[in-house]
């Protein structure tokens, strides 16, 4: 029988895992060609709005291949249900036998996404992060802020969200731990922040090129389908570096896809995250603007699911 691991069992296991470093190792394996990752399977819903992603693959010479099903239904908050749901399945690479079912309810997807954002900030933020801007008010907004603190502690935070009640709730949750202000607009937030994380499911750009100060790092997390876009493509045109978690995947979804489709940038401008991390000559200075486009890659799911399972067996 496969091991059935519930969310209540997964959460304490994660406390003993350095997820940011795990994501770094995963992206390096991916960019070095040591993985087999097919294109994303996807379902998109309109009423209510939502999407389901099926991501799968394996890291060569490791024990498992992983199939992950994860959804985001963006009006779930009205029902007091988390927007993210899902599970991960671990199969033996040697026999195809199902070894484990991780009933994580989308939690591992949220954590690995937050860790990828924190990894981008760790490597590509200005030498001094004076303030963090968080666009969005959902679970990923909270987790991104939490995980950034592990390597780049910064207490000055500006937040903005389209739903006034949800952004006020976010403010109340973090105000005792951060010097936080609610911004009147994304543009106002951008003018005051040199690290910006966007975490929404917006289908229309929230940030314009003229909003972005020179030397800003922007980590775009929310745009993971063909229809979503948080950044005006001119931001990518004007950026000194454009980094994507997967060049092949970013050509079909996310901020880079939009900019390529509009002929605002060409593929030569894109650097893959795992390669950028290893490139010792890619030294940034505080006047350079960097965009990191995180569409979410199956290698992240493979790494975190496998690590949780190994630790569960200990």
């Amino acid at each position: 029988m496969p091991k059935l691991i519930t969310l209540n069992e997964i959460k304490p296991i994660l406390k003993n895992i350095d997820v940011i470093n795990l994501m770094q190792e995963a992206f390096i394996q991916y960019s070095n060609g040591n993985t087999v990752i097919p294109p994303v399977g996807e379902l998109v819903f309109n009423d209510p709005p939502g999407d389901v992603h099926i991501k799968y693959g394996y890291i060569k010479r490791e024990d498992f291949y992983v199939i992950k099903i994860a959804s985001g239904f963006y009006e779930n908050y009205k029902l007091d249900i988390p927007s993210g749901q899902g599970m991960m399945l671990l199969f033996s690479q040697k026999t195809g036998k199902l070894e484990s079912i991780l009933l994580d309810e989308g939690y591992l997807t949220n954590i690995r996404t937050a860790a990828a954002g924190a990894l981008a900030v760790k490597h590509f933020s200005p030498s001094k992060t004076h303030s963090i801007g968080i666009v969005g008010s959902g679970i990923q907004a909270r987790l991104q802020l939490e995980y950034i603190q592990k390597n780049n502690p910064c207490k000055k935070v500006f937040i903005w969200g389209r739903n006034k009640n949800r952004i006020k709730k976010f403010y109340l949750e973090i105000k005792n731990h951060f010097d936080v202000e609610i911004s009147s607009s994304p543009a106002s937030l951008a003018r005051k922040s040199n690290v910006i994380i966007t975490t929404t499911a917006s289908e229309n750009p929230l940030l314009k090129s003229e909003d972005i100060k020179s030397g800003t790092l922007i980590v775009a997390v929310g745009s993971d389908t063909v229809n979503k876009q948080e950044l005006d493509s001119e931001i990518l045109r004007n950026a000194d570096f454009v980094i994507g978690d997967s060049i092949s995947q970013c050509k079909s979804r996310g901020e880079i896809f939009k900019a390529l489709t509009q002929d605002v940038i060409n593929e030569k401008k894109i650097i893959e995250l795992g390669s950028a991390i290893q490139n010792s000559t890619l030294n940034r200075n505080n006047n350079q603007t960097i965009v990191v486009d995180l569409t979410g890659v199956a290698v992240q799911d493979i790494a975190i699911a496998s690590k949780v399972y190994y630790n569960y067996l200990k």
Side-chain angles (χ1 to χ4, degrees), residues 37 39 79 112 115 129 134 150 188 201 228 267 271-272 306:
I37 308 292
L79 305 172
R112 61 80 150 152
T129 303
I134 304 287
K150 296 179 184 293
S188 174
K228 297 176 188 175
E267 190 177 331
I271 310 167
E272 199 161 75
S306 300

Side-chain angles (χ1 to χ4, degrees), residues 220-252:
V221 176
S223 181
D224 59 357
T225 69
V226 169
N227 297 325
K228 297 176 188 175
Q229 185 178 14
E230 299 182 287
L231 310 181
D232 186 272
S233 293
E234 288 295 318
I235 294 175
L236 280 70
R237 186 205 296 272
N238 295 330
D240 294 279
F241 297 109
V242 175
I243 299 170
D245 52 6
S246 160
I247 289 178
S248 61
Q249 191 166 292
C250 288
K251 287 161 65 177
S252 66

Side-chain angles (χ1 to χ4, degrees), residues 196-221:
I196 301 171
I197 317 293
T198 61
T199 69
T200 77
S202 179
E203 295 186 359
N204 298 295
L206 300 171
L207 290 170
K208 304 292 185 183
S209 181
E210 57 266 26
D211 302 333
I212 308 303
K213 298 186 303 181
S214 176
T216 299
L217 169 66
I218 307 166
V219 182
V221 176

